[in-house]
Amino acid sequence: MQIISSKQELLSKVEVCKQQHQSIGLVPTMGALHEGHASLVSRSVKENDVTFVSTFVNPTQFNNKEDLAKYPRNPQADADLLAALGVDYMFAPAPEEMYSADEMATTFDFDFAGLDQVMEGKMRPGHFNGVVQVVSRLFYLVRPDRAYFGEKDFQQLCIIHHMVERSSLKDTFGNLQIIDCPIFRGADGLALSSRNARLSEEERDLAVNISRVLFMSRAWAKAHTVKEVEQLVTDTINSLPGLEVEYYQIVDATTLQPATTFANAVGCVTVYCGPVRLIDNIKY
């Protein structure tokens, strides 16, 4: 596996792949890789001739600079894992390699068609502007045939689909396929996340209750309304010391607008486990 740190070198490697008519898979990440990332990477390696994985901690999607500073980083472990999985290229640029000073200081402007006005977008203003900024740049640089994203970040995944399939940028990306990959959970049900590394052992045990309550809510949905299930999930998680729900919303899986029935519905939750902010979701 080769580690690339400059855009120019990345463009050169991509051009060679294109000249040889090799299919390209891309897995955008922010490093601190775990088994969930590995499942995406393994699928890309299997389905494409060449796989690129980015491990760039994107500063423009953090509205909280303290959160950016605390985001876990372990580049050597990331490189070892990706090499073992058969990745061809790891792209690990510095922020100044990805963005000019003006780009770092200016909010990326994009028409989200309202997808950014709820849940994570509401709680983290500007977050998705940064996500679209970095993902669109990676797509432009790598020109992948397929790009792989996990369903744990469900709102993000909807926005990526909008960007590629329905926005003014869609013609830029050719026939790029966005591949949705299921949430990867530990044996106890906890959704894997790089942020889990910040949990103490006690907090880790407590965080398991997030997915347990979500799974329980499927049974509640058979006898309760959407609003009642939202309240049941929120109250049940909040009743556990150390957990605090920031939001739990059941939304239409396509529009992300509040659902009125459980048809095509997804329940999305953000919970503080101690100081660590965790997200999860469940399909009804």
Side-chain angles (χ1 to χ4, degrees):
M1 184 185 74
Q2 297 183 42
I3 300 176
I4 302 171
S5 58
S6 76
K7 288 187 293 186
Q8 194 56 49
E9 185 180 5
L10 177 63
L11 289 168
S12 175
K13 299 297 184 184
V14 169
E15 186 57 33
V16 171
C17 295
K18 293 295 183 180
Q19 289 175 358
Q20 295 177 353
H21 304 289
Q22 294 175 307
S23 60
I24 296 176
L26 170 67
V27 185
T29 81
M30 293 204 298
L33 304 179
H34 49 66
E35 289 179 88
H37 294 114
S39 67
L40 275 63
V41 172
S42 295
R43 184 167 175 183
S44 178
V45 169
K46 180 180 179 180
E47 296 177 355
N48 301 279
D49 297 321
V50 178
T51 290
F52 290 78
V53 177
S54 63
T55 58
F56 175 59
V57 182
N58 177 36
T60 67
Q61 69 187 67
F62 285 83
N63 59 320
N64 183 330
K65 300 305 179 186
E66 183 178 345
D67 194 24
L68 172 61
K70 290 182 177 179
Y71 196 84
R73 296 166 171 83
N74 198 337
Q76 187 56 58
D78 291 344
D80 292 343
L81 175 62
L82 295 178
L85 291 171
V87 169
D88 300 279
Y89 300 103
M90 171 178 162
F91 182 47
E96 54 270 22
E97 180 67 22
M98 286 293 282
Y99 303 123
S100 67
D102 285 345
E103 288 171 330
M104 286 285 288
T106 306
T107 300
F108 187 79
D109 188 27
F110 180 73
D111 181 6
F112 294 91
L115 294 173
D116 64 327
Q117 297 301 307
V118 297
M119 300 186 295
E120 288 297 284
K122 185 177 180 179
M123 298 298 175
R124 304 173 67 187
H127 167 68
F128 288 119
N129 297 78
V131 169
V132 170
Q133 182 181 28
V134 70
V135 172
S136 62
R137 180 144 306 177
L138 288 168
F139 288 172
Y140 173 78
L141 292 169
V142 179
R143 292 184 284 162
D145 297 281
R146 301 176 186 88
Y148 298 78
F149 293 86
E151 291 182 345
K152 183 177 72 68
D153 298 286
F154 189 81
Q155 187 173 6
Q156 172 181 281
L157 183 56
C158 287
I159 284 172
I160 298 300
H161 274 290
H162 169 72
M163 179 179 75
V164 171
E165 299 163 8
R166 300 185 294 278
S167 81
S168 59
L169 295 177
K170 64 181 180 180
D171 292 337
T172 305
F173 306 126
N175 294 319
L176 169 61
Q177 290 181 272
I178 302 301
I179 308 299
D180 303 1
C181 300
I183 298 174
F184 194 97
R185 299 184 181 277
D188 55 9
L190 180 65
L192 267 62
S193 168
S194 298
R195 296 175 189 271
N196 292 358
R198 294 176 51 195
L199 297 170
S200 68
E201 186 175 343
E202 181 179 350
E203 289 167 343
R204 174 67 175 70
D205 291 340
L206 185 60
V208 171
N209 289 289
I210 300 170
S211 59
R212 287 177 180 167
V213 174
L214 291 183
F215 296 148
M216 289 165 57
S217 75
R218 281 179 170 156
W220 298 339
K222 296 176 181 178
H224 295 83
T225 67
V226 167
K227 290 300 180 185
E228 288 171 339
V229 171
E230 286 180 338
Q231 196 63 54
L232 281 165
V233 168
T234 301
D235 291 346
T236 304
I237 294 176
N238 282 340
S239 71
L240 300 167
L243 295 182
E244 182 179 356
V245 175
E246 184 175 64
Y247 66 79
Y248 180 64
Q249 294 183 19
I250 299 174
V251 299
D252 180 90
T254 304
T255 67
L256 300 184
Q257 296 308 300
T260 55
T261 72
F262 289 101
N264 195 41
V266 176
C268 300
V269 72
T270 293
V271 179
Y272 278 94
C273 183
V276 184
R277 188 175 186 271
L278 302 175
I279 66 172
D280 201 348
N281 65 76
I282 191 165
K283 295 179 180 179
Y284 291 100

